[in-house]
Amino acid sequence: MAKKAMIEREKKRQKLVEKYAAKRAELKEIANDESKPMEERFKARLKLAKLPRNSAPSRLHNRCQLTGRPHAYYRKLKVSRIALRELASNGKAPGMVKSSW
């Protein structure tokens, strides 16, 4: 089980990303628009830099929905390998058969 603080921190980042998504997209569009004057584009980049760091989507980290584990995460299932194995062993993951040879 992951630390509660780390899980909560990740939730806080997710909220910030959602809150600033529209503003960040708008500023990026202005900053990357070649037809706008250089001063206006530079001001947009400065405003973009003043936004909270944790509002950037690249700072999010995938975590297991069940345990909060950050490593060995299956995107499609949104769980870690350990949680997936536990679900499969209990027969709660349909179509999964435990391998034995």
Side-chain angles (χ1 to χ4, degrees):
M1 192 69 165
K3 288 183 184 177
K4 289 279 186 197
M6 298 303 278
I7 295 170
E8 293 303 315
R9 190 178 301 165
E10 199 64 37
K11 287 178 185 174
K12 185 178 173 184
R13 282 187 188 128
Q14 184 63 45
K15 285 180 187 174
L16 276 173
V17 167
E18 291 168 5
K19 181 179 177 182
Y20 287 98
K23 189 171 188 176
R24 186 172 282 280
E26 182 184 319
L27 288 171
K28 274 190 171 184
E29 190 176 314
I30 293 168
N32 294 331
D33 189 5
E34 296 284 330
S35 63
K36 302 231 187 241
M38 192 64 140
E39 293 82 25
E40 188 177 338
R41 291 170 59 201
F42 186 70
K43 284 180 185 175
R45 295 211 180 179
L46 289 176
K47 286 182 184 177
L48 194 61
K50 285 189 178 183
L51 291 178
R53 278 190 179 175
N54 283 336
S55 69
S58 61
R59 290 183 62 101
L60 289 176
H61 201 286
N62 291 329
R63 286 186 172 271
C64 175
Q65 296 284 313
L66 303 175
T67 61
R69 180 181 162 85
H71 298 291
Y73 173 86
Y74 288 100
R75 288 181 187 174
K76 196 171 187 178
L77 304 171
K78 296 186 179 177
V79 294
S80 68
R81 65 178 174 82
I82 297 167
L84 181 63
R85 187 168 195 274
E86 192 67 33
L87 288 172
S89 294
N90 294 337
K92 294 181 180 175
M96 293 201 75
V97 180
K98 189 175 172 191
S99 178
S100 61
W101 63 92

